Amino acid sequence: MAAQTAGKSNSALGAFYRRLRSRLGSPKAITATAHKIARIFYKLWTSGGDYTDPGMDYYEQRYRERMVNNLHKKAIAFGFELIPQPSANLVS
């Protein structure tokens, strides 16, 4: 229930759940989010630390960085080069 509820929040766990739900479907996303919550709980339980949610924006930024890095590696593997475009030149 906590995993499904986290999907409705504007937290990093909520963003994680929504991203997985769009790719894998709701049942698998709930299970994966529940596992993530359990791992966070275990780490906090054993270390005695506090949980600070990095937020949805942090999660989305990290996801974007991973995607760009993966695209860069694939482009190099195929012999291409990625050239970043300034955001002002994008067509909406």
Side-chain angles (χ1 to χ4, degrees):
M1 302 253 333
Q4 195 170 14
T5 304
K8 296 178 174 121
S9 68
N10 288 331
S11 64
L13 287 172
F16 174 77
Y17 170 78
R18 287 187 296 276
R19 185 168 305 286
L20 285 182
R21 186 184 63 197
S22 68
R23 284 189 304 138
L24 303 174
S26 192
K28 288 186 179 184
I30 291 171
T31 303
T33 307
H35 281 263
K36 191 173 189 94
I37 292 171
R39 287 190 302 269
I40 290 170
F41 176 78
Y42 179 77
K43 184 174 180 175
L44 295 176
W45 182 266
T46 56
S47 69
D50 293 329
Y51 177 70
T52 54
D53 183 44
M56 184 174 64
D57 294 332
Y58 174 77
Y59 178 78
E60 292 295 329
Q61 178 66 27
R62 291 288 311 263
Y63 177 76
R64 179 176 159 76
E65 289 171 4
R66 285 193 309 268
M67 290 291 108
V68 169
N69 287 338
N70 287 338
L71 285 173
H72 183 69
K73 288 178 186 177
K74 287 181 182 180
I76 289 174
F78 286 117
F80 293 103
E81 180 181 347
L82 292 180
I83 301 172
Q85 297 292 319
S87 59
N89 292 342
L90 296 178
V91 177
S92 57

